[in-house]
Structures are given as structure tokens and as C-alpha cells.
Amino acid sequence: MSSVGQVIRCKAAVAWESGKPLSIEEVEVAPPQKDEVRIKILFTSLCHTDVYFWDAKGQNPLFPRILGHEAGGIVESVGEGVTDLEPGDHVLPIFTGECKECAHCLSEESNMCDLLRINTDRGEMLHDGKSRFSINGKPIYHFLGTSTFSEYTVVHVGQVAKINPDAPLDKVCVLSCGMSTGFGATVNVAKPKKGQSVAIFGLGAVGLAAAEGARVSGASRIIGIDLNPSRFEQAKKFGVTEFVNPKDHNKPVQEVIAEMTGGGVDRSVECTGSIQAMISAFECVHDGWGVAVLVGVPNKDDAFKTHPVNLLNERTLKGTFFGNYKPRTDIPAVVERYMNKELELDKFITHSVPFSEINKAFDLMLAGEGLRCVIRMDA
């Protein structure tokens, strides 16, 4: 019997309130409306952003909510007006979108779609301002337009990347957020040339993805900077060649790096969100040609200062969002880089749990263990 056009009853992990374990519930998932797609999620992984909004620190808490945004699945049905996706397509839902019509989407330089760029406050679908999820008729809010902690979810077509059906979804699901963010920051924005040196600030999953980008680009030296020395051993697998712990030095880490590299690194990528790391990442690049790229998300009231001479001496400071990838246009090609064995993903996936044990993934992340925990929806 076909589920097209019908409400689907399935399991979802619902966050009822801030900081409380998710609860597996039976939810009703409405059919997709205009410009929407209903997706059967097969694998989803946990990202810090999910934990941040589950913990509801420093932003508008919205509950009950179905979190989750790093995932892979298969299109179950499509709504009115959807022409470039059909049932059976393998897809990655993505927390930001590409309408293909606004000034940003029409620009080669931007991926910050006016219609679909990340919106952490919105809990409903754009089409009608309503949720597609409910329990006993009461709406459950969406998260980032993706809500992948559910066996089925409804996503705007502009937030869905159609990928090679041969790609293993349990691996490439991590490309829908963190890995693409870090990898793209290096290859699309910092753009190190073969043989150049790259400093990576913060060796979590996104920082290691940035290191992977430097490795793939042929960087000669990849210097990892982190306050946690237990991360250094793991980082070697991602091409990191040298390590600096700022706590081991009695001078600013940018000075340590300048001394190690004869005046500074060629490129740096900052993946922590700490203001101090941002300043260090900028000030540690070589004058004349150095480029620093900011990836980490700061606190709301943060600001940093640096002497304008640092810029006048021909250093460049850039920012990036989602690795400058346009979700629908560019992400399928990143999947191909994995399929062609240029980009390695397996080493990012350190844990795997069945959907019934999704809270274990939160425990692992809160304990700082591992990089990515993939959640198997059918288990």
C-alpha cells in the first residue's frame, strides 16, 4: 500500500524540554506540501549544534521539537511543484538551502540563500507556517528545516541535495553539515597551494575536516592548535604534522607559530568560536600573502580587535558559512570526492548506535568522546 499523500505514523526522538533526554515517540508526519519533500531517514549523526539547541543556552528555546540535521535518506514522496527530485532518490537533507532564484543563489560567490539560509528560531515550514509533525493532533516543532531524528521528515526541496545512489549513506551523511563546513573552509576559502603551510585552530570534527582539506590540497605542514593534548594523536590520521598547545607557552600562540614557520603560516582556519583563537589565527599568517579563515561560531556579544597594520601588511581575513558550498549545486560533487577516494570520511565516524539508543550519542558528545556518532534508524 502506497504512503504517498497519506499521513505516516513513525518513530521520532522528541525533545520535550531543555536538557532532558530525548524520548522515542510515535509521531504523525503529514504529506509534503508545495515545494516540499518527505524523506525516509536511514542514518543521522549528532552535531554540536543539536546539543546546543537541546541545551537551549543563549537562544529562544522552542519545545517540543525534533532535532537533527546531519543525515542521509531516500525520498518517499514529493509535494506540488517539485520537479528535480522523485521518490527513490538518495539525498542529504541540509540545514541551509538554495532556492536558486535569489541574489545570493544567482551569485557565484555566495551560498547564503535569502529564502532558506539557516534559521534556528523557525519551528514551522515556510509554505504555510505550520509543522508537519504532530502527536495526537498537537504540533511538534521542526529544527533547521530538517528534523532528522525521525524515521520520516519533511524538508523544503531547496534544502535537499540529490546524491549518487551508490554512495553509502551511513558514511556520506556526515557531509550534510560538519565535514563539508570544515573541508570547504580550507579548499574553497583558504585555498592553500600545494606545498604551503596551514594552521588549524581547534581539532574537533570541523577542525579535522579542515585539516583533511589541507591534506587533500597538498599542504606541506599542517599545524594543529588545541588546548586538549589528547586530541593530538587522533589528528595525525587527518594529516596534521605538528601540534601546539597554547598552554605550553608563555607567549601568544601566534608568536610561537611565526617562529616555527619563519614569519607565519600561509593559511589558517579557525574552528573554535573563541575570540582569542580568532585573533591568533589572523595574526599567525604570513604578511604579504597570508589568509586566515574564520569558521567557529562566537558568542552573541563577542568582538575582537587587532591592529589595522596587520591588514595593511597584506594579510587577509575571511569568514565562511557551510564551507561556501551551495547545498544542491555543490554537495553532490563533494560526495563524488569521497567516492573517488580523494576525501576520507570513515575516520570521522568513531561511534554508531541504534536509534533506540540515541541518548547515548548525546552522552558521548557531552563527554567529548569521539568525533561523529552515526545513528542507525532501522535499528
Side-chain angles (χ1 to χ4, degrees):
M1 191 183 134
S2 169
S3 52
V4 174
Q6 308 295 316
V7 169
I8 290 180
R9 285 180 178 75
C10 68
K11 289 198 188 95
V14 178
W16 289 101
E17 53 183 305
S18 148
K20 292 275 166 27
L22 304 189
S23 146
I24 305 279
E25 309 279 356
E26 182 176 274
V27 297
E28 294 170 352
V29 185
Q33 303 299 305
K34 187 175 188 302
D35 295 331
E36 294 171 2
V37 183
R38 189 160 59 183
I39 301 169
K40 179 178 171 65
I41 299 294
L42 297 181
F43 299 95
T44 183
S45 50
L46 184 64
C47 165
H48 270 286
T49 309
D50 298 306
V51 176
Y52 184 80
F53 283 90
W54 164 76
D55 224 8
K57 289 194 172 128
Q59 47 347 293
N60 306 322
L62 191 58
F63 296 99
R65 202 170 202 184
I66 296 173
L67 298 167
H69 65 283
E70 245 186 35
I74 296 176
V75 174
E76 174 270 338
S77 61
V78 301
E80 179 197 332
V82 175
T83 54
D84 48 359
L85 288 169
E86 57 188 26
D89 283 345
H90 285 222
V91 293
L92 303 181
I94 294 176
F95 67 90
T96 187
E98 180 184 357
C99 73
K100 297 198 173 180
E101 290 170 4
C102 69
H104 285 276
C105 287
L106 295 174
S107 154
E108 286 179 12
E109 296 178 54
S110 176
N111 65 341
M112 300 193 67
C113 175
D114 279 328
L115 181 69
L116 298 168
R117 81 170 64 164
I118 186 171
N119 182 328
T120 56
D121 292 334
R122 191 168 59 230
E124 301 89 9
M125 298 302 286
L126 280 173
H127 172 63
D128 56 6
K130 293 183 176 148
S131 173
R132 302 285 171 263
F133 297 110
S134 59
I135 295 180
N136 301 328
K138 290 200 171 66
I140 308 289
Y141 292 112
H142 292 252
F143 175 62
L144 300 182
T146 53
S147 292
T148 61
F149 294 166
S150 174
E151 293 176 322
Y152 287 87
T153 187
V154 177
V155 182
H156 190 286
V157 65
Q159 288 182 241
V160 181
K162 178 182 170 178
I163 63 161
N164 181 340
D166 294 332
L169 289 171
D170 59 331
K171 303 289 192 285
V172 297
C173 62
V174 299
L175 286 173
S176 67
C177 174
M179 306 311 96
S180 293
T181 295
F183 189 77
T186 304
V187 301
N188 294 336
V189 188
K191 294 183 177 163
K193 298 180 174 76
K194 196 168 167 39
Q196 285 192 320
S197 57
V198 181
I200 309 285
F201 286 78
L203 299 174
V206 174
L208 292 175
E212 178 74 1
R215 183 188 72 76
V216 167
S217 302
S220 58
R221 295 175 73 182
I222 303 175
I223 302 170
I225 299 97
D226 201 294
L227 296 166
N228 178 357
S230 70
R231 287 176 154 182
F232 293 167
E233 195 52 46
Q234 183 178 41
K236 290 176 185 169
K237 289 186 207 160
F238 298 82
V240 181
T241 55
E242 297 155 77
F243 300 94
V244 179
N245 183 343
K247 288 193 238 179
D248 294 344
H249 301 273
N250 54 11
K251 57 181 153 194
V253 72
Q254 53 267 44
E255 291 178 23
V256 176
I257 293 168
E259 284 172 17
M260 286 168 67
T261 53
V265 286
D266 301 305
R267 303 287 185 261
S268 71
V269 186
E270 187 285 317
C271 304
T272 70
S274 134
I275 293 307
Q276 196 47 58
M278 293 180 192
I279 296 167
S280 300
F282 175 51
E283 295 184 355
C284 81
V285 299
H286 205 289
D287 57 0
W289 63 79
V291 179
V293 177
L294 304 187
V295 181
V297 179
N299 292 324
K300 198 164 61 128
D301 301 322
D302 278 346
F304 65 78
K305 60 184 199 185
T306 187
H307 202 285
V309 163
N310 289 324
L311 284 154
L312 297 174
N313 285 345
E314 298 176 9
R315 290 179 186 87
T316 301
L317 179 62
K318 290 176 145 186
T320 174
F321 166 68
F322 190 51
N324 274 44
Y325 287 118
K326 292 180 188 275
R328 295 158 88 180
T329 302
D330 297 333
I331 292 303
V334 185
V335 170
E336 291 310 310
R337 292 187 83 159
Y338 168 73
M339 296 299 280
N340 297 337
K341 301 194 163 39
E342 281 176 73
L343 157 65
E344 296 170 11
L345 290 177
D346 305 45
K347 59 195 177 187
F348 287 99
I349 300 163
T350 49
H351 297 84
S352 169
V353 297
F355 189 37
S356 58
E357 295 174 25
I358 187 169
N359 287 302
K360 202 179 269 183
F362 279 76
D363 296 340
L364 286 164
M365 186 161 276
L366 291 167
E369 284 182 40
L371 294 173
R372 277 294 183 265
C373 179
V374 169
I375 297 148
R376 308 185 299 278
M377 300 305 286
D378 58 356

